[in-house]
Every structure is written in structure tokens, then in C-alpha cells.
Coordinates of all heavy atoms in Angstrom, one line a residue:
M308 N 91.8 76.4 98.5 CA 92.8 77.3 97.8 C 93.0 78.6 98.6 O 92.0 79.3 98.9 CB 92.2 77.7 96.4 CG 93.0 78.5 95.6 SD 92.3 78.5 94.0 CE 93.3 79.6 93.2
S309 N 94.2 79.0 98.8 CA 94.5 80.1 99.6 C 94.5 81.5 98.7 O 95.0 81.5 97.5 CB 95.9 80.0 100.2 OG 96.3 81.2 100.9
R310 N 94.0 82.5 99.3 CA 94.0 83.8 98.5 C 95.2 84.5 98.7 O 95.5 85.5 98.0 CB 92.8 84.6 98.9 CG 91.5 84.1 98.7 CD 90.3 84.9 99.2 NE 90.6 86.3 99.2 CZ 89.9 87.2 99.8 NH1 88.9 86.8 100.6 NH2 90.1 88.5 99.8
D311 N 96.1 84.1 99.6 CA 97.2 84.9 99.9 C 98.5 84.2 99.4 O 98.8 83.2 99.9 CB 97.4 85.0 101.5 CG 98.6 85.8 101.8 OD1 98.9 86.7 101.2 OD2 99.2 85.6 102.9
A312 N 99.1 84.8 98.3 CA 100.3 84.1 97.8 C 101.5 84.4 98.6 O 102.5 83.6 98.6 CB 100.5 84.8 96.4
G313 N 101.6 85.4 99.5 CA 102.7 85.7 100.2 C 102.8 84.9 101.5 O 103.9 84.8 102.1
G314 N 101.7 84.3 102.0 CA 101.8 83.5 103.1 C 101.6 84.3 104.5 O 101.5 83.7 105.5
S315 N 101.6 85.6 104.4 CA 101.5 86.4 105.7 C 100.1 86.6 106.0 O 99.7 86.9 107.3 CB 102.2 87.8 105.5 OG 101.6 88.5 104.5
G316 N 99.1 86.4 105.2 CA 97.7 86.5 105.5 C 97.4 88.0 105.8 O 98.1 89.0 105.6
P317 N 96.2 88.3 106.4 CA 95.8 89.5 106.6 C 96.2 90.1 108.0 O 95.9 91.1 108.5 CB 94.1 89.5 106.7 CG 94.0 88.1 107.1 CD 95.1 87.3 106.4
A318 N 97.0 89.3 108.7 CA 97.4 89.6 110.1 C 98.1 91.1 110.2 O 97.8 91.7 111.1 CB 98.4 88.5 110.6
P319 N 99.1 91.4 109.2 CA 99.7 92.7 109.5 C 98.8 93.9 109.4 O 98.8 94.8 110.2 CB 100.8 92.7 108.4 CG 101.0 91.3 108.1 CD 99.8 90.6 108.3
G320 N 97.8 93.8 108.4 CA 96.9 94.9 108.3 C 95.9 94.9 109.5 O 95.5 95.9 110.0
S321 N 95.6 93.8 109.9 CA 94.6 93.6 111.0 C 95.2 94.1 112.4 O 94.6 94.9 113.1 CB 94.2 92.2 111.3 OG 93.3 92.0 112.4
W322 N 96.6 93.8 112.5 CA 97.3 94.3 113.7 C 97.4 95.8 113.7 O 97.2 96.4 114.6 CB 98.7 93.6 113.7 CG 99.5 94.1 114.8 CD1 99.4 93.6 116.1 CD2 100.6 95.0 114.8 NE1 100.4 94.2 116.9 CE2 101.1 95.1 116.1 CE3 101.1 95.8 113.8 CZ2 102.1 96.0 116.4 CZ3 102.1 96.7 114.2 CH2 102.6 96.7 115.4
L323 N 97.8 96.3 112.5 CA 98.0 97.8 112.5 C 96.6 98.5 112.6 O 96.5 99.5 113.3 CB 98.5 98.2 111.1 CG 100.0 98.0 110.9 CD1 100.4 98.3 109.5 CD2 100.8 98.9 111.8
G324 N 95.6 98.0 112.0 CA 94.2 98.6 112.1 C 93.6 98.5 113.5 O 92.7 99.3 113.7
S325 N 94.1 97.6 114.3 CA 93.5 97.5 115.7 C 94.3 98.4 116.7 O 93.8 98.4 117.9 CB 93.5 96.1 116.1 OG 94.9 95.6 116.2
H326 N 95.3 99.0 116.4 CA 96.1 99.8 117.3 C 95.6 101.3 117.2 O 95.7 101.9 116.1 CB 97.6 99.8 117.0 CG 98.2 98.5 117.6 ND1 98.0 97.3 117.0 CD2 98.9 98.3 118.6 CE1 98.7 96.3 117.7 NE2 99.3 97.0 118.7
R327 N 95.1 101.8 118.2 CA 94.5 103.1 118.2 C 95.5 104.2 117.9 O 95.1 105.1 117.2 CB 93.9 103.4 119.7 CG 93.0 104.7 119.7 CD 91.7 104.3 119.0 NE 91.5 105.6 118.2 CZ 90.6 105.7 117.2 NH1 89.9 104.6 116.9 NH2 90.3 106.7 116.6
K328 N 96.7 104.1 118.3 CA 97.7 105.2 117.9 C 97.9 105.2 116.4 O 98.1 106.2 115.8 CB 99.0 104.9 118.7 CG 99.0 105.2 120.1 CD 100.3 105.2 120.8 CE 100.2 105.6 122.2 NZ 101.5 105.5 122.9
V329 N 98.1 103.9 115.7 CA 98.3 104.0 114.3 C 97.0 104.6 113.6 O 97.2 105.3 112.7 CB 98.4 102.5 113.9 CG1 98.5 102.4 112.5 CG2 99.7 102.0 114.5
V330 N 95.8 104.2 114.1 CA 94.6 104.7 113.5 C 94.5 106.1 113.6 O 94.1 106.9 112.6 CB 93.4 104.0 114.1 CG1 92.1 104.7 113.7 CG2 93.4 102.5 113.8
D331 N 94.9 106.8 114.8 CA 94.9 108.2 115.0 C 95.8 108.9 114.1 O 95.5 110.0 113.5 CB 95.2 108.5 116.4 CG 94.1 108.2 117.5 OD1 93.0 107.9 117.0 OD2 94.5 108.0 118.7
V332 N 97.1 108.4 113.9 CA 98.0 109.0 112.9 C 97.5 108.9 111.6 O 97.7 110.0 110.8 CB 99.4 108.3 113.1 CG1 100.4 108.7 112.1 CG2 100.0 108.5 114.5
V333 N 96.9 107.8 111.2 CA 96.5 107.8 109.8 C 95.2 108.7 109.5 O 95.2 109.4 108.5 CB 96.1 106.3 109.4 CG1 95.4 106.2 108.1 CG2 97.4 105.5 109.4
E334 N 94.5 108.8 110.5 CA 93.3 109.6 110.4 C 93.7 111.1 110.3 O 93.1 112.0 109.6 CB 92.4 109.5 111.6 CG 91.4 108.3 111.5 CD 90.5 108.0 112.6 OE1 90.5 108.8 113.6 OE2 89.7 107.1 112.6
R335 N 94.8 111.5 111.2 CA 95.2 112.9 111.2 C 96.1 113.2 110.1 O 96.0 114.4 109.5 CB 95.9 113.1 112.5 CG 96.3 114.5 112.8 CD 96.8 114.7 114.1 NE 97.2 116.1 114.2 CZ 97.8 116.7 115.3 NH1 98.0 115.9 116.3 NH2 98.0 118.0 115.3
F336 N 97.0 112.4 109.6 CA 98.0 112.7 108.6 C 97.8 112.0 107.3 O 98.7 112.0 106.4 CB 99.4 112.5 109.2 CG 99.7 113.3 110.3 CD1 99.7 112.8 111.6 CD2 99.8 114.8 110.3 CE1 100.0 113.5 112.8 CE2 100.1 115.5 111.4 CZ 100.2 114.9 112.7
G337 N 96.7 111.2 107.2 CA 96.6 110.3 106.0 C 96.6 111.1 104.7 O 97.2 110.6 103.6
H338 N 96.1 112.3 104.7 CA 96.1 113.1 103.4 C 97.5 113.6 103.1 O 97.7 114.0 101.9 CB 95.1 114.2 103.5 CG 95.5 115.2 104.7 ND1 95.3 115.0 106.0 CD2 96.0 116.4 104.6 CE1 95.8 116.1 106.7 NE2 96.1 117.0 105.8
W339 N 98.5 113.5 104.0 CA 99.9 113.8 103.7 C 100.6 112.6 103.4 O 101.6 112.5 102.6 CB 100.5 114.6 104.8 CG 100.0 115.9 105.0 CD1 99.0 116.4 105.9 CD2 100.3 117.0 104.1 NE1 98.9 117.8 105.6 CE2 99.6 118.1 104.5 CE3 101.0 117.2 102.9 CZ2 99.7 119.5 103.9 CZ3 101.2 118.5 102.3 CH2 100.4 119.5 102.8
I340 N 100.3 111.5 104.1 CA 101.1 110.2 104.0 C 101.0 109.6 102.7 O 101.9 109.1 102.1 CB 100.7 109.2 105.2 CG1 101.0 109.7 106.6 CG2 101.2 107.8 105.0 CD1 100.5 109.0 107.7
V341 N 99.7 109.5 102.2 CA 99.6 108.8 100.9 C 100.3 109.5 99.7 O 101.1 108.8 99.1 CB 98.0 108.7 100.6 CG1 97.8 108.2 99.2 CG2 97.3 107.8 101.6
P342 N 100.2 110.8 99.6 CA 101.0 111.5 98.4 C 102.5 111.2 98.7 O 103.2 111.1 97.8 CB 100.6 112.9 98.6 CG 99.3 113.0 99.2 CD 99.3 111.9 100.2
A343 N 103.0 111.3 100.0 CA 104.4 111.1 100.3 C 104.9 109.8 99.8 O 105.9 109.6 99.2 CB 104.7 111.4 101.7
V344 N 104.1 108.7 100.1 CA 104.3 107.3 99.7 C 104.5 107.3 98.2 O 105.3 106.6 97.6 CB 103.4 106.4 100.3 CG1 103.5 105.0 99.7 CG2 103.5 106.3 101.8
F345 N 103.4 107.9 97.5 CA 103.6 107.8 96.0 C 104.8 108.6 95.5 O 105.4 108.1 94.5 CB 102.3 108.4 95.4 CG 101.1 107.3 95.4 CD1 100.0 107.7 96.1 CD2 101.3 106.2 94.8 CE1 98.9 106.7 96.1 CE2 100.2 105.2 94.9 CZ 99.1 105.6 95.5
M346 N 105.1 109.7 96.1 CA 106.3 110.4 95.6 C 107.5 109.6 95.8 O 108.5 109.6 95.0 CB 106.4 111.7 96.3 CG 105.3 112.8 95.8 SD 105.6 114.4 96.3 CE 105.5 114.4 98.1
V347 N 107.7 108.9 97.0 CA 108.8 108.0 97.3 C 108.9 106.9 96.3 O 110.0 106.6 95.7 CB 108.8 107.5 98.7 CG1 109.8 106.4 99.0 CG2 109.0 108.6 99.6
I348 N 107.8 106.3 96.0 CA 107.7 105.2 95.0 C 108.2 105.7 93.6 O 109.0 105.1 92.9 CB 106.4 104.6 94.9 CG1 106.0 103.8 96.2 CG2 106.2 103.7 93.7 CD1 104.7 103.3 96.3
G349 N 107.7 106.8 93.2 CA 108.1 107.5 92.0 C 109.5 107.8 92.0 O 110.3 107.5 90.9
A350 N 110.1 108.3 93.0 CA 111.5 108.6 93.0 C 112.4 107.4 93.0 O 113.4 107.4 92.2 CB 111.9 109.4 94.4
V351 N 112.0 106.3 93.6 CA 112.7 105.1 93.6 C 112.7 104.6 92.1 O 113.7 104.1 91.6 CB 112.1 104.0 94.5 CG1 112.7 102.6 94.2 CG2 112.4 104.4 95.9
I352 N 111.6 104.6 91.4 CA 111.5 104.1 90.0 C 112.5 105.0 89.2 O 113.2 104.4 88.4 CB 110.1 104.2 89.5 CG1 109.2 103.2 90.3 CG2 109.9 104.1 88.0 CD1 107.7 103.4 90.1
V353 N 112.4 106.3 89.3 CA 113.3 107.2 88.5 C 114.7 106.8 88.8 O 115.5 106.7 87.9 CB 113.0 108.7 88.7 CG1 114.0 109.6 88.1 CG2 111.6 109.0 88.2
I354 N 115.1 106.7 90.1 CA 116.5 106.4 90.4 C 116.9 105.1 89.9 O 118.0 104.9 89.3 CB 116.7 106.6 91.9 CG1 116.5 108.1 92.4 CG2 118.0 106.0 92.3 CD1 116.4 108.2 93.8
E355 N 116.1 104.1 90.1 CA 116.5 102.7 89.6 C 116.5 102.6 88.1 O 117.2 101.7 87.7 CB 115.5 101.7 90.3 CG 115.5 101.5 91.8 CD 116.9 100.9 92.2 OE1 117.3 100.0 91.5 OE2 117.4 101.3 93.2
S356 N 115.8 103.3 87.4 CA 115.7 103.1 85.9 C 116.9 103.9 85.3 O 117.0 103.9 84.0 CB 114.4 103.8 85.4 OG 114.3 105.2 85.5
D357 N 117.7 104.7 86.0 CA 118.7 105.5 85.5 C 118.4 106.5 84.4 O 119.1 106.9 83.5 CB 119.9 104.6 84.9 CG 120.6 103.8 85.9 OD1 120.7 104.4 87.1 OD2 121.0 102.7 85.7
V358 N 117.1 107.0 84.5 CA 116.6 107.9 83.5 C 117.4 109.3 83.7 O 117.6 110.0 82.6 CB 115.1 108.2 83.7 CG1 114.7 108.9 84.9 CG2 114.5 108.8 82.5
L359 N 117.7 109.7 84.9 CA 118.5 110.9 85.1 C 119.9 110.9 84.4 O 120.3 111.9 83.8 CB 118.6 111.3 86.5 CG 117.2 111.5 87.3 CD1 117.4 111.8 88.7 CD2 116.5 112.6 86.6
T360 N 120.6 109.8 84.5 CA 121.8 109.7 83.8 C 121.7 109.7 82.4 O 122.6 110.2 81.6 CB 122.7 108.5 84.3 OG1 121.8 107.3 84.1 CG2 123.0 108.6 85.8
N361 N 120.6 109.0 82.0 CA 120.5 109.0 80.5 C 120.1 110.4 79.9 O 120.5 110.8 78.9 CB 119.3 108.1 80.1 CG 119.7 106.7 80.2 OD1 120.9 106.3 80.2 ND2 118.8 105.7 80.4
L362 N 119.4 111.2 80.7 CA 119.1 112.6 80.3 C 120.2 113.5 80.4 O 120.5 114.3 79.5 CB 117.9 113.2 81.1 CG 116.5 112.6 80.9 CD1 115.6 113.2 82.0 CD2 116.1 113.0 79.6
A363 N 121.1 113.3 81.3 CA 122.3 114.1 81.5 C 123.4 113.8 80.4 O 124.2 114.6 80.0 CB 122.9 113.8 82.9
G364 N 123.2 112.6 79.9 CA 124.3 112.2 78.9 C 123.9 112.5 77.5 O 124.6 112.2 76.5
R365 N 122.9 113.3 77.3 CA 122.4 113.6 75.8 C 123.4 114.5 75.2 O 124.0 115.3 75.5 CB 121.1 114.5 76.0 CG 120.0 113.5 76.1 CD 118.7 114.3 76.0 NE 117.6 113.3 75.8 CZ 116.4 113.7 75.4 NH1 116.2 115.0 75.2 NH2 115.5 112.8 75.3

């Protein structure tokens, strides 16, 4: 039984984690990258849900 439903396996993460430049960037800027990713995800959710147009139409 395969643990990976997507079929890509751990290869992308392993590939990224083995590149020194990627590791250096994450170690140096990780405390900024993670919040930025969460803010982008939140913005996409707000935009896709049309909550702003619903608030403006009150």
C-alpha cells in the first residue's frame, strides 16, 4: 500500500533539501518566507470566496 496519493513521492522534498543554496535561503529567510506563504494563501482564499464584493455590496 502506497502512502503517497499523488504519485510524486518524497522526491521533490528530497531534491530541494539536498541543494545547499535552497537550504541556505530557507535557513536565512525562513522566518519571513513562512508568514508570507500563509498571507498569500489567506489572500487567495479571500479573493476566491468573493467576501470583499459581498462586504462592499451591503
Side-chain angles (χ1 to χ4, degrees):
M308 182 172 176
S309 175
R310 291 176 37 193
D311 181 32
S315 63
S321 175
W322 179 80
L323 282 174
S325 65
H326 281 72
R327 190 70 222 163
K328 287 185 179 182
V329 173
V330 173
D331 289 342
V332 168
V333 171
E334 284 180 353
R335 185 170 179 185
F336 299 108
H338 64 283
W339 289 105
I340 294 171
V341 173
V344 168
F345 281 121
M346 288 191 301
V347 168
I348 291 171
V351 168
I352 290 171
V353 168
I354 292 168
E355 291 291 321
S356 68
D357 289 330
V358 72
L359 296 177
T360 55
N361 289 338
L362 286 175
R365 283 186 164 193

